[in-house]
Amino acid sequence: MSELGFIKIDPKSTVAPYQQVREQILSAIAKGKLAPGSKLPSVRALSGTLNLAVNTVAKVYKELEPQGAVVTRGRHGTVVQAAENRAEQEVSDAAAGFGPDCAAVVSR
């Protein structure tokens, strides 16, 4: 399991801590530091490591899911989603913006 030791919170930043964490995770995925299938620490573990509230880290994970960056598998934890799945999700999300008929065609 990745401990995400590369994540650093800048307390002097005007950017909210949850946004700092979110951006650093997305950057790590984009740069290959977090490969598809990499298991992320539990919300409690990461919040303890970063000295953040549990709800702050939970918010990060919840925001990353609809973007297709991660997927939560219940008791199996949160893992980085494969790049192909992210691309599929982005196309599906874009199609949904055009209405249900278009989204149905894309999902076939």
Side-chain angles (χ1 to χ4, degrees):
M1 176 186 323
S2 172
E3 290 303 319
L4 304 185
F6 55 84
I7 295 179
K8 304 293 181 215
I9 302 298
D10 180 0
K12 296 178 184 176
S13 176
T14 59
V15 178
Y18 88 91
Q19 289 176 316
Q20 291 181 49
V21 174
R22 185 180 150 277
E23 290 170 9
Q24 290 178 56
I25 290 174
L26 286 173
S27 176
I29 292 170
K31 293 177 181 178
K33 282 185 180 178
L34 288 173
S38 298
K39 187 173 180 182
L40 300 181
S42 70
V43 168
R44 288 182 194 265
L46 187 56
S47 65
T49 300
L50 299 175
N51 293 317
L52 295 173
V54 172
N55 289 339
T56 300
V57 176
K59 182 176 181 176
V60 171
Y61 283 12
K62 285 180 184 173
E63 285 192 7
L64 291 173
E65 277 196 75
Q67 294 179 329
V70 301
V71 63
T72 300
R73 298 180 178 152
R75 295 180 184 203
H76 299 289
T78 302
V79 297
V80 175
Q81 192 164 307
E84 303 82 46
N85 295 343
R86 283 197 307 271
E88 239 176 65
Q89 183 67 41
E90 288 175 16
V91 168
S92 178
D93 289 348
F98 292 107
D101 293 334
C102 189
V105 170
V106 170
S107 66
R108 290 183 195 157

